[in-house]
């Protein structure tokens, strides 16, 4: 299981800013190891962010998203203490969900 | 004859197992569609093909798509910050395309109503290239480009 995500969600005015740092290799499938073998692609394909169970952002990613992906965005609404849940799924079928409260 | 029977048994058994799994709720019929990944679009290798695979064959150039926190020159191609804001009303999705990467499509973000059409992330770039933001708004497609110079590529070993 991968390391937990770092999620920071802060309410400002009538909207909430979400910043997340995920821990993932995001291997492209283009690189070769010391023996000249291609390192197989291993990357996050789907990301879903929910606020109190409602989807506020969903994304499909390819191999070009940088290692340990960073993402930030804003949505209207959200109050202190509301729950933000973020789930990613990678091309091996691994899945991770982390939650944070809006500060 | 024997082989055939075996094949029939096998396929029959397989179907039953699948049925059982579905019945037991391990495999929900909706699971596959809930988490879609547009393989066709991510596998494309040319700008025209990628845009077509995303459904936006001939997007209009737009000055309402703005890059922010995006460098002119990226020293390290492995980590290039990209920020995109679409000021087009009813923006539904934002895609990042990097023209000279082996696979052009880096990411597609679906923006539900209520979420700002602004996203910020980091991508890998193999070499200096145009980066395109393809925006779908109200069913129409718009595009903006930014040229980013890369001093050190992000796809080499």
């Amino acid at each position: 299981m991968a390391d937990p995500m770092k999620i920071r969600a802060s309410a400002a005015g009538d909207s909430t800013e979400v910043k997340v740092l995920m821990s993932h290799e995001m291997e492209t499938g283009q690189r070769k190891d010391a023996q000249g073998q291609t390192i197989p692609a291993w990357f996050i394909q789907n990301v879903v962010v929910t606020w109190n169970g409602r989807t506020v952002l969903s994304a499909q990613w390819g191999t070009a998203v940088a290692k340990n992906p960073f993402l930030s965005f804003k949505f209207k609404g959200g109050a202190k203490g509301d729950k933000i849940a973020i789930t990613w799924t990678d091309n091996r079928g691994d899945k991770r969900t982390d939650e944070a409260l809006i500060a | 004859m024997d082989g055939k029977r075996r094949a029939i048994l096998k396929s029959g058994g397989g179907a039953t197992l699948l049925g059982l799994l579905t019945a037991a709720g391990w495999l929900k019929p909706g699971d596959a569609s809930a988490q879609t990944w547009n393989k066709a679009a991510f596998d494309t290798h040319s700008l025209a093909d990628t845009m077509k695979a995303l459904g936006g064959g001939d997007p209009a150039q737009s000055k309402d798509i703005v890059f922010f926190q995006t460098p002119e020159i990226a020293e390290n191609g492995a980590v290039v910050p990209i920020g995109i804001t679409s000021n087009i009303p009813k923006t539904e999705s934002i895609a990042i395309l990097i023209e000279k990467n082996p696979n052009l499509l880096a990411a597609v973000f679906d923006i539900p109503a209520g979420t700002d059409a602004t996203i910020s992330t980091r991508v890998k770039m193999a070499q200096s290239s145009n980066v395109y933001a393809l925006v779908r708004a109200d069913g129409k497609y718009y595009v903006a480009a930014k040229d980013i110079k890369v001093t050190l590529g992000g796809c080499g070993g």
Side-chain angles (χ1 to χ4, degrees):
Chain A
M1 200 57 166
D3 289 334
M5 295 175 229
K6 287 181 185 146
I7 303 170
R8 189 167 296 168
S10 47
D14 62 347
S15 58
T16 300
E17 182 175 33
V18 180
K19 287 183 177 178
V20 52
L21 198 55
M22 305 172 196
S23 174
H24 202 284
E25 279 301 316
M26 298 301 287
E27 193 59 60
T28 59
Q30 309 275 344
R31 297 196 309 152
K32 292 191 166 66
D33 65 13
Q35 280 76 44
Q37 303 287 313
T38 303
I39 306 170
W42 179 29
F43 60 101
I44 295 175
Q45 289 186 311
N46 288 99
V47 180
V48 177
V49 185
T50 61
W51 158 49
N52 285 348
R54 199 182 109 192
T55 300
V56 286
L57 187 76
S58 58
Q60 300 174 47
W61 285 356
T63 52
V65 173
K67 180 176 174 173
N68 297 334
F70 167 80
L71 170 66
S72 99
F73 70 100
K74 266 185 193 173
F75 66 88
K76 297 256 182 312
K80 264 183 196 169
D82 284 359
K83 192 162 79 180
I84 299 289
I86 303 178
T87 302
W88 57 249
T89 314
D90 69 18
N91 66 325
R92 292 183 185 171
D94 273 347
K95 208 172 182 169
R96 182 170 180 103
T97 302
D98 285 293
E99 293 176 351
L101 299 180
I102 297 175
Chain B
M1 170 88 186
D2 227 39
K4 204 174 187 179
R5 202 183 74 181
R6 205 156 284 181
I8 290 166
L9 277 173
K10 227 177 178 175
S11 66
T16 318
L17 183 62
L18 195 68
L20 276 174
L21 283 172
T22 312
W26 288 354
L27 284 174
K28 291 188 210 92
D31 258 10
S33 58
Q35 287 279 324
T36 50
W37 192 70
N38 192 342
K39 190 174 188 305
F42 280 100
D43 277 349
T44 52
H45 302 284
S46 82
L47 195 60
D49 284 355
T50 310
M51 288 184 175
K52 210 186 285 170
L54 287 170
D58 191 18
Q61 297 283 336
S62 175
K63 286 194 164 49
D64 291 325
I65 305 168
V66 183
F67 287 88
F68 66 96
Q69 286 172 8
T70 308
E72 303 279 325
I73 298 170
E75 274 181 27
N76 183 358
V79 189
V80 184
I82 304 272
I84 297 167
T85 294
S86 162
N87 295 319
I88 303 167
K90 292 190 187 168
T91 292
E92 294 156 351
S93 80
I94 298 175
I96 304 173
L97 282 67
I98 301 160
E99 191 170 15
K100 288 187 180 158
N101 267 10
N103 296 302
L104 272 81
L105 186 57
V108 183
F109 296 89
D110 290 318
I111 316 280
T115 298
D116 289 1
T118 296
I119 52 108
S120 167
T121 186
R122 296 176 192 149
V123 298
K124 287 176 276 206
M125 291 180 66
Q127 54 182 299
S128 300
S129 167
N130 267 329
V131 174
Y132 293 88
L134 182 68
V135 169
R136 193 182 76 216
D138 208 8
K140 294 197 183 72
Y141 286 83
Y142 304 88
V143 72
K146 184 179 171 76
D147 183 27
I148 301 178
K149 301 256 183 298
V150 175
T151 339
L152 181 68
C155 286

